[in-house]
């Protein structure tokens, strides 16, 4: 893919404005929806694995740690209980080596979105273990304090994806897509993202 990954994009341009952020998030959510419907859990969603082409198309890459399911049952490609992924973006259940489903990818996607919108990851520590423990025990700083220009509904969606318990997150990526599409229509109707009142 000719272009850059999301980490490079953030480093070069800083946190994107609302329409660009929604564009990126919608395309990643659609990719996760397609993967989930195919019974695939990516297990390593992070900015480095989100590629942005020169035309602005967004691709989810690197399925090297992906877990397949058949008929709702996990296909054992790796040992149960083995923690795999990137600590900065791991779901709590991934940190502890528990069974994963699509909601784990949504957690990692939520952390990635928080990073993209704030310009830094929500959890930072001196070691990978320290960050992993934060995913288990600490709540991310409020996103609306980092970006008061963002609509409240977007901040709430990101925080919902980052819920510690899978049952508290959106059930699947299709729900995330629907929320982002509603927000996108609202932006279009206002004519400019800047017209969103702080905290709307």
């Amino acid at each position: 893919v000719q272009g850059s990954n999301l980490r490079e994009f953030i480093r070069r341009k800083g946190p994107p404005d609302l329409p660009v952020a929604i564009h990126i998030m919608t395309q990643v959510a659609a990719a996760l929806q397609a993967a989930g419907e195919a019974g695939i859990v990516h297990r390593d969603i992070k900015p480095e694995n989100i590629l942005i082409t020169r035309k602005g198309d967004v691709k989810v890459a690197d399925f090297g740690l992906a877990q397949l399911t058949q008929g709702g049952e996990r296909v054992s490609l790796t040992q149960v209980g083995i923690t795999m992924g990137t600590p900065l973006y791991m779901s709590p259940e991934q940190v502890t080596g528990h069974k994963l489903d699509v909601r784990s990818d949504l957690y990692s996607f939520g952390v990635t979105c928080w990073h993209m919108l704030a310009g830094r990851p929500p959890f930072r520590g001196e070691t990978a273990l320290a960050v992993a423990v934060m995913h288990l025990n600490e709540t991310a700083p409020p996103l609306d304090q980092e970006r008061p220009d963002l609509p409240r509904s977007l901040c709430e969606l990101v925080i919902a994806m980052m819920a510690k318990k899978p049952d508290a997150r959106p059930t699947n990526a299709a729900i995330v897509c629907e929320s982002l599409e509603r927000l996108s229509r609202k932006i279009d109707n206002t004519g400019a993202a800047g017209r969103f009142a702080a905290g709307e």
Side-chain angles (χ1 to χ4, degrees):
V1 176
Q2 292 186 337
S4 62
N5 65 45
L6 182 57
R7 179 176 289 278
E8 293 166 347
F9 179 92
I10 298 167
R11 185 182 300 123
R12 189 171 66 251
K13 297 189 175 183
D17 60 16
L18 182 58
V20 173
I22 294 293
H23 172 76
I24 293 171
M25 291 174 66
T26 299
Q27 292 198 54
V28 175
L32 291 178
Q33 179 182 354
E37 289 171 352
I40 297 170
V41 181
H42 187 286
R43 298 202 296 178
D44 200 21
I45 296 296
K46 59 184 178 181
E48 292 91 331
N49 288 338
I50 296 171
L51 308 181
I52 304 173
T53 72
R54 291 174 181 172
K55 292 182 178 180
D57 294 326
V58 181
K59 312 284 186 182
V60 175
D62 195 354
F63 282 77
L65 294 181
Q67 168 187 295
L68 306 179
T69 59
Q70 292 179 349
E73 294 297 320
R74 179 168 57 187
V75 178
S76 295
L77 300 179
T78 56
Q79 271 185 282
V80 175
I82 296 295
T83 299
M84 305 182 78
T86 303
L88 279 177
Y89 307 95
M90 274 187 183
S91 68
E93 61 270 28
Q94 193 171 5
V95 170
T96 55
H98 284 83
K99 183 178 178 180
L100 305 181
D101 59 25
V102 294
R103 294 170 298 178
S104 177
D105 282 347
L106 290 183
Y107 181 93
S108 299
F109 180 40
V111 178
T112 296
C113 291
W114 201 104
H115 180 174
M116 174 180 70
L117 294 166
R120 62 176 180 83
F123 303 116
R124 290 184 289 190
E126 293 185 3
T127 66
L129 177 60
V131 175
V133 170
M134 289 178 181
H135 281 290
L136 287 174
N137 300 320
E138 296 192 17
T139 302
L143 183 55
D144 55 2
Q145 290 184 13
E146 302 286 331
R147 288 286 303 274
D149 60 305
L150 295 177
R152 179 182 299 154
S153 56
L154 179 62
C155 295
E156 289 175 347
L157 176 62
V158 172
I159 294 303
M161 288 192 284
M162 293 174 62
K164 300 299 182 189
K165 295 184 178 180
D167 288 346
R169 299 174 205 148
T171 308
N172 53 51
I175 294 172
V176 177
C177 285
E178 291 168 5
S179 298
L180 291 169
E181 287 166 3
R182 283 196 301 271
L183 183 54
S184 183
R185 286 194 297 270
K186 192 169 185 180
I187 294 170
D188 291 341
N189 290 338
T190 62
R195 293 181 189 172
F196 274 95
E200 183 178 341

